[in-house]
Amino acid sequence: MVSQPAKIALLGAGLIGGEHAALLFRNPKTELVAIVDPAEAAKSVADQYGARHYCDALTMLEQIRPDGVIIALPNALHAAAVIACVEHGIPCLVEKPVADTLEAAMLLVAAADRTGVPVLVGHHRRHSPDIAKARQLVAEGALGRLVAVNAMWMADKPGHYFNTAWRREPGGGPLLINLIHDVDCLRFICGDIEEVMALTSNTVRGFEVEDSASISARFTSGALGTFLMSDAAVSPYNWDTAAGQALYFPHQPENAYFLSGTQAALAVPSMDLWMHETQNGDWQHPLVRRHVTLDGSRAYDNQLAHFIDIIAGTATPLISARDGMMTLATTLTIARSARERRPVRPQELIDDAMNS
Ligand SMILES: NC(=O)c1ccc[n+]([C@@H]2O[C@H](COP(=O)([O-])OP(=O)(O)OC[C@H]3O[C@@H](n4cnc5c(N)ncnc54)[C@H](O)[C@@H]3O)[C@@H](O)[C@H]2O)c1
């Protein structure tokens, strides 16, 4: 018996929403049934893919009752959209960050828990084969005990990117737009981060928002990390271009993460695994490099395939609303540490949000 394609609606047909629409259209297991976005351009996108066009999500949910919804709206609209979907019993894939504030994320998590309807957060990198393999290698102990992690996200955004006012203001900078993906990957590969100490700088662009940051972190496992971030520096050292998985960036083969353990070291995404030739080697003995092969699959395709399985009830979200909330809390912790010039733990922000 051939099963019917999953009927999926899209909320928001902007930059990433347009990519989701194309992915849905190409996938034989999905049918893009509706696009909700009041922008004039969104009507053309709906026409292009033969989908119905709506300006209001609730009307669409009532009339179409899709099998699943992809939410690619501005961050401040995520929580209300997720809550509407789960209250209609409809699984959703919500773009990152899960919400714009921890308070909103908590409301969203509570709705998901109350209804039991699955929510997948769009940290697409977790579906990339290099990130999945790095997590597996660490979990299997291929590196021995994880000791230290060095991560980088640096790139040079063009001047016109900042014509939009919110990108120049606190909250609109690379911490919450870009580094949040790395925070999520590092949590996924290495486990939770329990404390951070951060410095930020805005001296290159001179906007109110940060353009660069350096961060020291302690993972719950005891491993230590240093992360460097800038959106004002020429660099191939960012996962988006290094992994060749991104939808709209050139591929610049390089590394973004360096993990070192008591037995081996791993560079991601080149997937070079370095270890001693002999079991009892030390720094006076040569290292050998083994390339870990990957399956060649694509992060966004894998993410959609996973969402289809969630809709079918054969999988649970690889990144749940609660997990997405912890990634958001950890990233906001970095911002608070830089602002208040002191070490901060994510738990402090969770406690504050619960008491607010
Ligand atoms: N995972 C990724 O690779 C990735 C990449 C880019 C953006 N994002 C995330 O996706 C989300 C959208 O980002 P973007 O860059 O596509 O933004 P965007 O501004 O390009 O698109 C947002 C769209 O939402 C529409 N919209 C606004 N209010 C609406 C409403 N009330 N109802 C329906 N539609 C409405 C706008 O008209 C616009 O078309 C953000 O949360 C962002 O963080 C994720």
Side-chain angles (χ1 to χ4, degrees):
M1 198 181 85
V2 179
S3 60
Q4 294 296 311
K7 292 184 188 310
I8 298 186
L10 177 65
L11 308 191
L15 176 65
I16 195 69
E19 301 289 348
H20 282 299
L23 287 162
L24 289 165
F25 187 70
R26 280 206 305 269
N27 194 313
K29 293 183 175 174
T30 57
E31 182 187 353
L32 174 58
V33 287
I35 288 182
V36 184
D37 187 328
E40 197 51 44
K43 168 103 181 62
S44 318
V45 180
D47 290 346
Q48 181 188 346
Y49 294 119
R52 291 182 64 181
H53 178 248
Y54 287 85
C55 291
D56 171 63
L58 286 178
T59 311
M60 183 280 292
L61 290 175
E62 295 292 341
Q63 289 186 5
I64 302 253
R65 298 227 149 242
D67 300 319
V69 171
I70 296 182
I71 300 166
L73 297 170
N75 300 347
L77 304 180
H78 287 188
V82 170
I83 292 168
C85 288
V86 297
E87 286 182 344
H88 281 77
I90 300 171
C92 58
L93 160 52
V94 59
E95 268 302 346
K96 48 56 63 173
V98 64
D100 58 333
T101 64
L102 263 186
E103 289 79 0
M106 282 177 176
L107 290 175
L108 180 164
V109 167
D113 287 351
R114 188 174 64 246
T115 58
V117 178
V119 174
L120 173 67
V121 183
H123 282 290
H124 61 278
R125 293 188 195 177
R126 289 197 188 196
H127 304 273
S128 182
D130 55 337
I131 301 301
K133 181 62 86 174
R135 172 181 163 92
Q136 185 192 334
L137 290 170
V138 170
E140 285 172 358
L143 277 60
R145 178 182 172 169
L146 189 64
V147 177
V149 182
N150 190 354
M152 287 180 281
W153 190 92
M154 287 178 290
D156 55 330
K157 289 180 182 167
H160 64 75
Y161 178 93
F162 298 94
N163 290 345
T164 313
W166 64 264
R167 298 193 194 281
R168 305 190 298 266
E169 293 159 8
L175 279 180
L176 274 166
I177 291 189
N178 307 106
L179 196 78
I180 189 167
H181 281 298
D182 300 286
V183 168
D184 188 67
C185 283
L186 294 167
R187 289 188 58 241
F188 187 57
I189 298 169
C190 310
D192 269 326
I193 292 171
E194 71 173 21
E195 185 173 25
V196 303
M197 182 77 199
L199 294 174
T200 53
S201 166
N202 61 356
T203 52
V204 180
R205 296 194 188 279
F207 297 140
E208 209 185 333
V209 70
E210 77 282 344
D211 54 50
S212 308
S214 76
I215 298 135
S216 289
R218 185 191 310 280
F219 291 86
T220 308
S221 69
L224 296 180
T226 63
F227 318 143
L228 263 184
M229 178 207 79
S230 179
D231 70 3
V234 173
S235 145
Y237 312 119
N238 64 77
W239 184 89
D240 303 277
T241 56
Q245 285 278 335
L247 292 167
Y248 38 73
F249 294 114
H251 185 196
Q252 312 278 168
E254 246 304 341
N255 283 307
Y257 308 147
F258 298 90
L259 285 68
S260 295
T262 51
Q263 300 295 323
L266 177 70
V268 180
S270 73
M271 302 309 286
D272 286 334
L273 186 65
W274 293 83
M275 62 192 80
H276 287 292
E277 276 174 322
T278 55
Q279 190 103 44
N280 296 322
D282 60 35
W283 67 346
Q284 292 187 319
H285 299 96
L287 292 165
V288 289
R289 173 168 50 178
R290 174 162 82 82
H291 179 67
V292 180
T293 52
L294 301 174
D295 63 18
S297 64
R298 312 287 307 164
Y300 287 94
D301 292 326
N302 293 348
Q303 176 177 255
L304 181 54
H306 179 59
F307 186 46
I308 295 166
D309 289 343
I310 289 170
I311 291 170
T314 56
T316 52
L318 183 64
I319 169 158
S320 66
R322 188 175 294 280
D323 206 355
M325 182 181 76
M326 283 314 298
T327 290
L328 176 64
T330 308
T331 312
L332 292 171
T333 300
I334 292 171
R336 181 179 287 186
S337 170
R339 212 168 43 244
E340 300 184 5
R341 294 173 176 261
R342 64 182 177 90
V344 183
R345 292 167 174 255
Q347 191 58 47
E348 177 183 321
L349 279 80
I350 302 269
D351 291 345
D352 286 356
M354 283 174 71
N355 296 327
S356 69

